[in-house]
Amino acid sequence: MAQQQAHVDSGTGTHHMAVDLVRSKPRKVLMVVANPAVSSNNGWPVGFWAAELTHPYYELTERGVEVTIASPDGGKVEFDNLSDPRDPSKWSAEDLISMGFIHTPELMALLEDTPQLASLDYGDFDALLICGGQSPMFTFPDHAGLQHAVRSFYEAEKITGAFCHGVAALVNVELSDGEYLVKDKTITGFSNAEEEFGNAAAGVEIMPWRLEDALRKRGANYIQAGLFKAFAVRDGRLVTGQQQYSGREVARAVIDMLGL
């Protein structure tokens, strides 16, 4: 059989899926992943959860959104081992989207030297999305630069989102009026039930504190959909997701909020 030759019609200019857009300039989303750290509970290396970047990244870019991946401190970022579909544990072996990301050199190159949040102009972006994983529970709550980014986006009336343990970035954020951002907001994040499941599977206490408890203490109306159910909730311009299976739900909410 003769080898087929690819040909791009000059009338369309591309063979990729056509997307109807409202505006000529693409929307821009800033996604934040955690820097590598070490668990103070167990001494494990911790990072961000692969699917919490790769799944919403896929949803957003497929709709023509430009995504920038950054981290609070900049530099190389790494997956939590259990979230890597290549890990011998096979905990995430079914995650084909992350596997595709891993086997695309141009995408993995984005994780080699992420820009530091503080180096970016937040005015360039339409939305902020904060990914979870294990490191956020150790590195996000008191990170001044990350708190500034969250406050800047929210008070500029831009879409502000977080999911799974990435919601840890919201817990201690105070707005200009001195109130906690999450106070009186309907919000979700990694649940106590899911923490208990993870602890039982690992045989140790994985996290140093509980996100659900902290959100309630701050006056949030915390809700969840059940053990490892894909779930996202929107409260005004704030959108949150429950755990690693909720990143795509959050991305779809953001796509809707952007009018795409």
Side-chain angles (χ1 to χ4, degrees), residues 66-86:
E66 286 189 8
V67 176
T68 296
I69 302 169
S71 61
D73 297 328
K76 185 175 181 178
V77 292
E78 299 176 353
F79 299 145
D80 283 317
N81 288 338
L82 290 179
S83 73
D84 189 329
R86 302 166 298 179

Side-chain angles (χ1 to χ4, degrees), residues 150-229:
V150 172
R151 185 184 308 110
S152 297
F153 272 83
Y154 190 80
E155 293 192 335
E157 299 190 345
K158 293 184 177 183
I159 300 164
T160 307
F163 32 97
C164 193
H165 290 113
V167 180
L170 309 182
V171 170
N172 291 333
V173 174
E174 293 184 24
L175 301 177
S176 297
D177 62 5
E179 292 282 6
Y180 285 111
L181 168 63
V182 300
K183 183 182 178 183
D184 298 325
K185 302 292 194 309
T186 298
I187 197 168
T188 191
F190 207 79
S191 69
N192 285 347
E194 288 157 341
E195 295 287 13
E196 294 292 349
F197 183 96
N199 291 343
V204 295
E205 187 77 21
I206 298 173
M207 294 303 176
W209 52 286
R210 296 289 179 92
L211 185 54
E212 178 180 336
D213 294 341
L215 290 168
R216 293 186 189 280
K217 184 177 180 180
R218 292 289 189 239
N221 174 33
Y222 175 87
I223 61 174
Q224 49 106 348
L227 192 66
F228 296 115
K229 295 286 184 68

Side-chain angles (χ1 to χ4, degrees), residues 14-240:
T14 178
H15 65 283
H16 297 291
M17 182 179 76
V19 178
D20 288 328
L21 300 175
V22 175
R23 45 184 262 170
S24 58
K25 292 184 178 180
R27 295 290 192 174
K28 297 183 178 182
V29 171
L30 175 58
M31 294 192 72
V32 178
V33 295
N35 295 102
V38 176
S39 164
S40 58
N41 274 28
N42 304 293
W44 301 341
V46 291
F48 71 93
W49 201 264
E52 295 178 38
L53 170 67
T54 64
H55 288 225
Y57 185 95
Y58 177 81
E59 290 284 340
L60 292 166
T61 56
E62 191 177 48
R63 290 297 303 167
V65 175
E66 286 189 8
V67 176
T68 296
I69 302 169
S71 61
D73 297 328
K76 185 175 181 178
V77 292
E78 299 176 353
F79 299 145
D80 283 317
N81 288 338
L82 290 179
S83 73
D84 189 329
R86 302 166 298 179
D87 189 74
S89 69
K90 296 190 179 297
W91 187 270
S92 301
E94 76 288 351
D95 185 358
L96 300 183
I97 291 178
S98 292
M99 188 68 85
F101 191 102
I102 287 165
H103 286 285
T104 306
E106 295 85 352
L107 295 180
M108 288 298 285
L110 301 176
L111 309 183
E112 288 297 315
D113 189 17
T114 59
Q116 183 181 18
L117 265 180
S119 72
L120 300 173
D121 182 350
Y122 301 147
D124 292 340
F125 300 95
D126 300 295
L128 172 69
L129 284 181
I130 303 171
C131 309
Q134 294 186 54
S135 176
M137 293 292 280
F138 301 92
T139 61
F140 277 5
D142 299 314
H143 195 288
L146 183 54
Q147 290 182 5
H148 174 70
V150 172
R151 185 184 308 110
S152 297
F153 272 83
Y154 190 80
E155 293 192 335
E157 299 190 345
K158 293 184 177 183
I159 300 164
T160 307
F163 32 97
C164 193
H165 290 113
V167 180
L170 309 182
V171 170
N172 291 333
V173 174
E174 293 184 24
L175 301 177
S176 297
D177 62 5
E179 292 282 6
Y180 285 111
L181 168 63
V182 300
K183 183 182 178 183
D184 298 325
K185 302 292 194 309
T186 298
I187 197 168
T188 191
F190 207 79
S191 69
N192 285 347
E194 288 157 341
E195 295 287 13
E196 294 292 349
F197 183 96
N199 291 343
V204 295
E205 187 77 21
I206 298 173
M207 294 303 176
W209 52 286
R210 296 289 179 92
L211 185 54
E212 178 180 336
D213 294 341
L215 290 168
R216 293 186 189 280
K217 184 177 180 180
R218 292 289 189 239
N221 174 33
Y222 175 87
I223 61 174
Q224 49 106 348
L227 192 66
F228 296 115
K229 295 286 184 68
F231 178 64
V233 59
R234 174 185 172 185
D235 190 328
R237 59 187 176 277
L238 182 67
V239 57
T240 51

